[in-house]
Amino acid sequence: MDETIEFFREIGVRVHEEAGGKLFPDSNRARDVLDALLRETGRAGATLLSGQRVLDVAPARDGFALTTTAGGIHAKAVVLATGGQSLPKSGSDGTGFAIARRLGHTIVPPTPGLVPLVVEEPGRGTPLHRALAGVSQDVELTIWIDGSAATRLAGALLWTHVGVSGPVAMNASRHWLRAELEGRTISLTVNFFPGASFDDLDRRWTAFSAERPLTILQNALAAMVPASVAAALIAQLNLDGTRQLAHLGRDDRRRLVHALVAWPLAVAGTRGYNYAEVTAGGVALGEIDPSTMESRVCAGLYLVGEILDVDGRIGGFNFQWAWCTARVAGAALGKGSGLTA
Ligand SMILES: Cc1cc2nc3c(=O)[nH]c(=O)nc-3n(C[C@H](O)[C@H](O)[C@H](O)COP(=O)(O)OP(=O)(O)OC[C@H]3O[C@@H](n4cnc5c(N)ncnc54)[C@H](O)[C@@H]3O)c2cc1C
């Protein structure tokens, strides 16, 4: 990480740290990062052939023959850095997987990663996500696989008109999709009180009711979660928000507490590659030499970044992976040619 910060400083991009340890350019402009990288590419003596696509890469005498939309190119070595399939309109549309497969690589089946989830709740009136569209709150998500709590993730959840988004939902998406790919039984629950168990919250609620018996349910709940969430949950549970806590029966209290720690999210799917920030799956890592990023099945071919079977959670890990692997490949190629990385 320190080397990444230093590299960007050297090419004219100073970064600062924001909440959650995320690094941003001081200008807060993505364009400045791109411009600096392009400047550095020119300084290093590389020629960019933009405006054309690589259609195929085939082994040829003394290297590779590339077929592009503008003709053909001969290359001594090739670095495949085509990304995955996420945001296909950016050009990362999975072509790289097809090329790698033709060159002998195994592709671990891809799925979107870091993608908003679609929720479908038939027959329950206005579903919670639609009632709360635009509201963001800190929650804990539990991903249940084959009946067991497989993963718990905490963070900000954004309710949307089609389901849920925000860092915690995006981070959960890859777990949901990978389990679905394996044919497992998956469900998702929301805990509006991250870290709290049913018993913790039931005790807290009972104590609060004893201290403030005349407080009405809506106000009591709105003191703990956003008021809109309190109102929507009370409506979903068919409770009377104007009822004083002293008159909330044991069954209703337990139903409410259960909903607060394990609200079931009926996830029907995701918004797909057009909304995904990363692709999970890709070229199998066992087929790559990690000290050079050179293919073990096709000499002279290097693979870096998202085309490989690696995906990270939100927080800059995907960029870091792309930069680190590209640096390793660049250093290996530089050594071979007598250049320095
Ligand atoms: C909206 C969005 C937000 C993101 N935010 C973050 C973030 O905050 N932090 C983070 O760490 N990661 C983030 N990511 C993920 C990160 O951008 C990627 O993981 C990273 O850019 C992957 O780098 P890459 O070079 O491997 O592939 P890419 O960045 O996908 O680049 C691949 C390039 O190859 C080109 N290409 C593909 N096929 C061909 C072909 N056949 N011929 C010619 N060119 C081709 C594509 O056009 C593209 O320019 C985000 C992604 C998206 C979509």
Side-chain angles (χ1 to χ4, degrees):
M1 178 57 77
D2 288 347
E3 282 181 39
T4 306
I5 294 171
E6 182 55 21
F7 167 75
F8 278 105
R9 198 191 59 73
E10 276 172 11
I11 67 168
V13 181
R14 288 184 175 276
V15 297
H16 63 274
E17 195 172 322
E18 294 192 3
K22 292 182 189 168
L23 298 172
F24 285 87
D26 284 354
S27 65
N28 278 326
R29 279 164 37 104
R31 179 87 223 178
D32 291 349
V33 178
L34 176 63
D35 288 346
L37 288 170
L38 288 173
R39 259 195 324 270
E40 181 62 9
T41 308
R43 196 199 60 78
T47 307
L48 274 183
L49 301 176
S50 57
Q52 54 181 295
R53 303 267 305 163
V54 176
L55 303 174
D56 199 14
V57 177
R61 230 178 116 244
D62 197 21
F64 296 89
L66 277 66
T67 311
T68 77
T69 45
I73 299 173
H74 179 268
K76 278 192 186 159
V78 167
V79 182
L80 265 188
T82 53
Q85 282 177 240
S86 33
L87 214 66
K89 69 178 178 192
S90 70
S92 306
D93 60 359
T95 309
F97 292 150
I99 294 173
R101 193 181 286 116
R102 284 198 292 273
L103 290 168
H105 278 286
T106 310
I107 310 297
V108 176
T111 59
L114 299 180
V115 63
L117 300 172
V118 174
V119 174
E120 276 174 16
E121 291 183 0
R124 292 178 63 172
T126 304
L128 197 64
H129 62 274
R130 222 167 277 150
L132 293 176
V135 174
S136 174
Q137 63 180 141
D138 281 338
V139 303
E140 182 182 78
L141 288 185
T142 302
I143 298 137
W144 301 83
I145 298 182
D146 297 335
S148 302
T151 310
R152 290 187 204 277
L153 301 167
L157 180 92
L158 173 67
W159 299 94
T160 72
H161 63 292
V162 292
V164 287
S165 186
V168 74
M170 308 266 281
N171 283 335
S173 64
R174 66 105 50 219
H175 299 282
W176 198 90
L177 283 163
R178 299 316 281 180
E180 188 195 43
L181 190 70
E182 291 166 13
R184 317 280 285 274
T185 305
I186 327 150
S187 61
L188 225 76
T189 54
V190 183
N191 186 342
F192 294 92
F193 292 81
S197 67
F198 176 92
D199 289 340
D200 295 337
L201 195 60
D202 196 41
R203 266 194 300 275
R204 188 169 154 192
W205 191 267
T206 307
F208 188 86
S209 302
E211 274 169 32
R212 313 267 296 268
L214 302 183
T215 306
I216 63 167
L217 175 59
Q218 165 67 35
N219 291 350
L221 196 51
M224 302 177 181
V225 295
S228 53
V229 176
L233 280 172
I234 288 169
Q236 287 281 316
L237 294 168
N238 282 322
L239 292 170
D240 176 2
T242 64
R243 180 172 293 182
Q244 291 175 333
L245 295 184
H247 301 296
L248 186 70
R250 179 178 183 275
D251 286 352
D252 280 345
R253 187 194 76 229
R254 289 176 67 84
R255 216 156 50 84
L256 174 65
V257 170
H258 188 262
L260 290 171
V261 295
W263 179 263
L265 259 192
V267 175
T270 75
R271 302 210 73 192
Y273 286 113
N274 286 337
Y275 293 84
E277 290 194 3
V278 74
T279 302
V283 173
L285 290 182
E287 298 172 354
I288 309 296
D289 176 352
S291 66
T292 59
M293 303 314 292
E294 187 173 9
S295 163
R296 286 185 167 129
V297 298
C298 179
L301 177 72
Y302 295 73
L303 298 102
V304 301
E306 207 177 304
I307 191 173
L308 295 164
D309 178 24
V310 170
D311 60 294
R313 61 183 162 84
I314 282 182
F317 301 101
N318 293 298
F319 281 144
Q320 184 68 13
W321 170 251
W323 291 323
C324 288
T325 49
R327 186 185 165 89
V328 171
L333 279 162
K335 229 183 219 166
S337 67
L339 301 169
T340 48

